[in-house]
Amino acid sequence: MEQKTCLVVDDSRVVRKVARKILEELGFACSEAEDGLKAMESCANSMPDAILLDWNMPVMSGIEFLRRLRKMTHGTTPKVVFCTTENDIAHIQEALAAGADEYIMKPFDNDIIQTKFMQVGLL
């Protein structure tokens, strides 16, 4: 079976590193982007199977990226899991309305990511 790909989008290098380690242990090939614009470029180049997406980033926020992603060719393909400190119901509803598949609170760990990725059918 072909290895699944995941794009980790977060302006924190530490968060990207931690998420990448977990995802690679789960068998994903990972790439990283530090803001929504870089993530757009990455997706235009090669659409991933999954996107772990931060909300608050410079240049282009996670929610703005998600809205644009879902309008791209094959942009509905990736499973998008928001990973953020924004945990109020309004943010969660906005994310889901924009096309997010799941929502993870920071700080996250291996179990949380594994559970959410299973729920959306990636594992």
Side-chain angles (χ1 to χ4, degrees):
M1 201 172 105
E2 202 176 319
Q3 191 176 26
K4 285 198 162 79
T5 55
C6 184
L7 176 62
V8 179
V9 189
D10 199 300
D11 56 339
S12 160
R13 198 176 65 83
V14 174
V15 172
R16 291 199 309 270
K17 213 169 143 180
V18 171
R20 183 179 196 132
K21 184 178 181 293
I22 293 170
L23 289 158
E24 285 175 346
E25 283 171 4
L26 292 173
F28 285 85
C30 290
S31 51
E32 299 175 24
E34 65 268 26
D35 61 57
L37 194 61
K38 293 271 195 317
M40 289 296 310
E41 290 164 5
S42 178
C43 290
N45 189 26
S46 172
M47 200 59 80
D49 296 303
I51 300 172
L52 191 65
L53 183 61
D54 183 29
W55 191 293
N56 298 311
M57 295 178 290
V59 190
M60 188 192 293
S61 68
I63 196 82
E64 177 64 21
F65 161 75
L66 180 58
R67 290 191 177 114
R68 292 191 189 188
L69 169 76
R70 292 309 193 201
K71 292 179 184 143
M72 289 171 74
T73 309
H74 306 302
T76 54
T77 307
K79 296 286 184 190
V80 176
V81 178
F82 253 110
C83 179
T84 178
T85 52
E86 302 291 350
N87 67 342
D88 58 283
I89 196 77
H91 273 94
I92 294 169
Q93 286 171 334
E94 190 180 353
L96 296 173
D101 295 283
E102 261 299 346
Y103 208 94
I104 294 176
M105 294 313 307
K106 285 180 181 172
F108 55 81
D109 61 23
N110 188 314
D111 289 346
I112 295 168
I113 288 190
Q114 190 167 358
T115 301
K116 292 292 184 182
F117 274 55
M118 282 170 80
Q119 284 171 355
V120 298
L122 286 161
L123 292 171

